[in-house]
Amino acid sequence: FLCISRSSLLTGQYIHNHGAINNSISGECSGHGWQAGPEKETFAVHFQEGGYTTMYAGKYLNQYGIPEVGGVEHIPPGWDSWVGLVGNSKYYNYKLSVNGTMEAHGDDYETDYLTNIIRKKAFDFLDNVNDDQPFFMMLSTPASHHPFDYEPKYASNFTERSAPRTPNFNIPNGLDKPWLLRQGVQPLPDDV
């Protein structure tokens, strides 16, 4: 549950305190209860109160930016510069909230690949930050989450490599293992 983890990271609180229990609006993933309470107490709010200039770019909470919870106009408290991905992990064909204004992106690698957009926005922030003031920047790419869209320039990297096949590789997980380990195809096909 990505929203739960990010909510804990942003607040420093356990689930039973911040209230985000799943990835839905009713589960307080950027829902009204989250926005009215825990979101107003994230570490970014405290950094800002302490004199930091703050910047966020990338994936926020899975339901961020949808109309039912304020749309792209909603900028979470504590962020001076805001570039929030609307919805969940995407690298192409997505929308961003750039300081409360919607910015749409298509499927052209050169102009739309999300990781590179986050990088550009981060450098723009750094170019304009006050040298006499502390700053905090949080960059949140969707990397490690589905979809696994790599940059085209890396398409031929590691094509001849595979994970080591040690004796404990691909052992079927029986009922003695936690439910999560028993998920998916087992054993894994050789091409994985």
Side-chain angles (χ1 to χ4, degrees):
F1 290 113
L2 307 173
C3 206
I4 297 169
S5 297
R6 287 177 190 268
S7 298
S8 291
L9 176 72
L10 291 163
T11 62
Q13 297 178 339
Y14 289 113
I15 299 166
H16 63 276
N17 290 321
H18 63 61
I21 60 170
N22 61 41
N23 292 336
S24 70
I25 293 172
S26 62
E28 292 307 334
C29 182
S30 202
H32 298 292
W34 163 261
Q35 291 178 3
E39 189 173 63
K40 292 181 178 181
E41 293 294 324
T42 66
F43 67 81
V45 171
H46 298 289
F47 276 22
Q48 199 177 55
E49 289 170 352
Y52 281 72
T53 300
T54 58
M55 191 259 193
Y56 189 96
K59 180 179 175 175
Y60 182 58
L61 300 178
N62 297 35
Q63 300 300 325
Y64 172 76
I66 64 172
E68 295 90 325
V69 291
V72 297
E73 295 82 15
H74 173 73
I75 300 171
W79 302 105
D80 295 301
S81 179
W82 175 256
V83 182
L85 177 65
V86 175
N88 203 357
S89 302
K90 287 187 170 194
Y91 291 92
Y92 297 103
N93 300 307
Y94 57 88
K95 295 175 185 161
L96 296 173
S97 169
V98 179
N99 296 317
T101 302
M102 197 264 295
E103 182 178 288
H105 287 267
D107 58 6
D108 179 27
Y109 164 68
E110 297 296 328
T111 58
D112 298 313
Y113 187 71
L114 180 60
T115 303
N116 292 339
I117 297 299
I118 291 171
R119 178 182 178 272
K120 180 188 180 316
K121 302 282 188 187
F123 279 119
D124 290 346
F125 172 77
L126 291 172
D127 287 342
N128 294 300
V129 75
N130 182 342
D131 292 339
D132 299 325
Q133 187 175 4
F135 70 90
F136 174 81
M137 178 171 46
M138 185 170 182
L139 307 178
S140 183
T141 67
S144 83
H145 299 98
H146 187 287
F148 306 110
D149 294 338
Y150 51 82
E151 284 191 71
K153 67 183 180 181
Y154 298 118
S156 63
N157 287 19
F158 307 111
T159 55
E160 302 299 318
R161 308 289 304 267
S162 62
R165 301 313 200 235
T166 61
N168 60 347
F169 176 80
N170 220 9
I171 296 173
N173 291 311
L175 294 176
D176 61 326
K177 302 292 183 193
W179 70 271
L180 187 57
L181 293 178
R182 296 191 312 260
Q183 303 305 303
V185 177
Q186 293 184 30
L188 291 172
D190 287 337
D191 64 342
V192 171

